Each structure stands twice: as structure tokens, then as C-alpha cells.
Amino acid sequence: QVQLVESGGGVVQPARSLRLSCAASGFTFRSYPMHWVRQAPGKGLEWVAGISYDGINEYYADSLKGRFTISRDNSKNTLYLEMNSLRGDDTAVYYCARVPSNWGQGILVTVSS
Amino acid sequence: DIQMTQSPSSLSASVGDRVTITCRASQGISNYLAWVQQKPGKAPKSLIYGASSLQSGVPSKFSGSGSGTDFTLTISSLQPEDFATYYCQQYNSYPYTFGQGTKLEIK
């Protein structure tokens, strides 16, 4: 069965960086676009970024203004999200997703001093 | 960007009821519309893709319809486990966008 397992979250100070990972299994990872979606406490779902199956094309939410970078390693079946210049409003649960079918369990990122 | 507007934002219903949630896109998205269910403290779960196709393992009490800009999710014979928040998501063009969610509560 499809599994998406996020890791790398935690508490980070404002202006610092953090990299999330998502280990995929149960499907041919290299054949599918992949995405990150986040959810701030008590708020709705927000699409963050997406990447083509081959990693060539990247897409981002306008609100991120170049601070986040999505990437993938198809040899490792792993998706990444590099987050820079983190702010308090980046505090959220981050989900890895194979739209429109599968979601990871989520990983909490807390930006706080 | 394509804006997704769900209505209502919240809905109270009783066990056994049938309910319908509406999602409207600010421009045409063909049938690239998904519905997801989320329970408190849990990850979202995909219910429907392609506006009307059920994900594997999702009971037939859930049904979706629509194309272009107007879509609906209907849940028949509500059971306690169906009370959750439901989101629509368009995946026709980037940036992908979600509706604001509909919280379905027990009356």
C-alpha cells in the first residue's frame, strides 16, 4: 500500500532554516508529481509547493516569495522541502501528498524563539 | 490564481441525514476537483478525485458531481464517523488551491 512518511520537523528559531523529508513507498515514485501542503493551527489546508515527476519543474504558492524549495531524489524515493528565513506564520503541520490520492501523516514545524 | 469557495462553512445534521456541500471555482477547472475529509488531529483522507470518482476503499455513500466551475459532494445516511471537515481542492492548474472547508457537526 502507498505510504508517505514525513520527517525533519521540530522547533526552530525565526530566520533559521529547516529541511523536511518525505519517504515514499508502495508506488512508482519516479512516475508521479509530488506536493507539500500545510495546515496552520486551527486553520484550513494550504497548498505549498509541487514538483514534476522528473524534478525539472517546480511550483510554489505565491505567499512563499522564494523562501521554500521543493526537490526530490528519485533514486531514494524521497521528496524534500527546504525552508529558509522561517517566520512565526510558517508554524504548521506539513503534509507530503500525491495529489489527488494520498497523504502522509504530517509533521509539525514550530517557529519560535 | 483560482479561488475555491465552499458553502456552507459549517453544517449541522443528524445521524441518517443526507447532506450536500458545494464548491465553486473562480474559473473553469474541467473535472480536476478532489474532495478530502479531515478529522480532528488526523491527516486528510482523499475521498473523491476527478470530481466524481471514488478513491479505493471509500464507501459509496459519498458521491461527487460537477464540471467546469460548480461541484457538489453528497453524503448519504450520515453516520457518527462522517462528522468531520471537508475540503475541495482544484488540481487543474498551479498554484493548486483549496476551499476554506466545511465543518459537518452533529445536530
Side-chain angles (χ1 to χ4, degrees), chain A residues 10-26:
Chain A
V11 180
V12 60
Q13 293 179 328
R16 303 297 292 265
S17 299
L18 197 66
R19 188 176 83 157
L20 303 182
S21 300
C22 170
S25 61

Side-chain angles (χ1 to χ4, degrees), chain A residues 33-35 37 39 43-47 49-52 59-62 95 98-106, chain B residues 1 33-36 38 41-50 55 87 89-91 94-100:
Chain A
M34 294 295 296
H35 303 264
V37 175
Q39 186 171 38
K43 302 296 186 182
L45 299 171
E46 178 188 19
W47 179 85
I51 188 167
S52 58
Y59 307 90
Y60 297 94
D62 297 340
Y95 297 100
R98 184 179 71 152
V99 175
S101 305
N102 306 101
W103 295 75
Q105 85 286 355
Chain B
D1 298 2
L33 190 283
W35 290 97
V36 300
Q38 189 178 33
K42 299 296 185 181
K45 173 187 175 182
S46 295
L47 298 177
I48 287 172
Y49 66 97
Q55 292 284 358
Y87 297 90
Q89 182 195 17
Q90 69 82 17
Y91 55 103
Y94 289 106
Y96 289 0
T97 41
F98 289 89
Q100 80 278 16

Side-chain angles (χ1 to χ4, degrees), chain A:
Chain A
Q1 72 282 19
V2 172
Q3 281 199 307
L4 300 170
V5 180
E6 300 93 340
S7 60
V11 180
V12 60
Q13 293 179 328
R16 303 297 292 265
S17 299
L18 197 66
R19 188 176 83 157
L20 303 182
S21 300
C22 170
S25 61
F27 66 103
T28 307
F29 179 74
R30 64 179 180 273
S31 297
Y32 290 88
M34 294 295 296
H35 303 264
W36 289 98
V37 175
R38 69 181 181 181
Q39 186 171 38
K43 302 296 186 182
L45 299 171
E46 178 188 19
W47 179 85
V48 171
I51 188 167
S52 58
Y53 70 97
D54 54 4
I56 291 177
N57 296 302
E58 303 167 21
Y59 307 90
Y60 297 94
D62 297 340
S63 60
L64 297 180
K65 295 185 179 178
R67 296 185 299 120
F68 289 13
T69 301
I70 188 172
S71 61
R72 66 192 296 161
D73 186 337
N74 286 345
S75 69
K76 296 182 178 180
N77 288 353
T78 303
L79 177 72
Y80 303 100
L81 184 68
E82 182 78 31
M83 304 183 291
N84 298 317
S85 303
L86 283 163
R87 311 184 306 217
D89 60 0
D90 294 317
T91 294
V93 175
Y94 285 75
Y95 297 100
C96 168
R98 184 179 71 152
V99 175
S101 305
N102 306 101
W103 295 75
Q105 85 286 355
I107 192 84
L108 177 61
V109 173
T110 302
V111 182
S112 174
S113 55

Side-chain angles (χ1 to χ4, degrees), chain B residues 4 22-35 48-53 64-73 90 92:
Chain B
M4 305 300 292
T22 297
C23 180
R24 175 165 288 176
S26 61
Q27 61 190 77
I29 59 170
S30 185
N31 67 335
Y32 294 99
L33 190 283
W35 290 97
I48 287 172
Y49 66 97
S52 60
S53 297
S65 66
S67 183
T69 60
D70 294 306
F71 303 87
T72 60
L73 172 69
Q90 69 82 17
N92 178 75

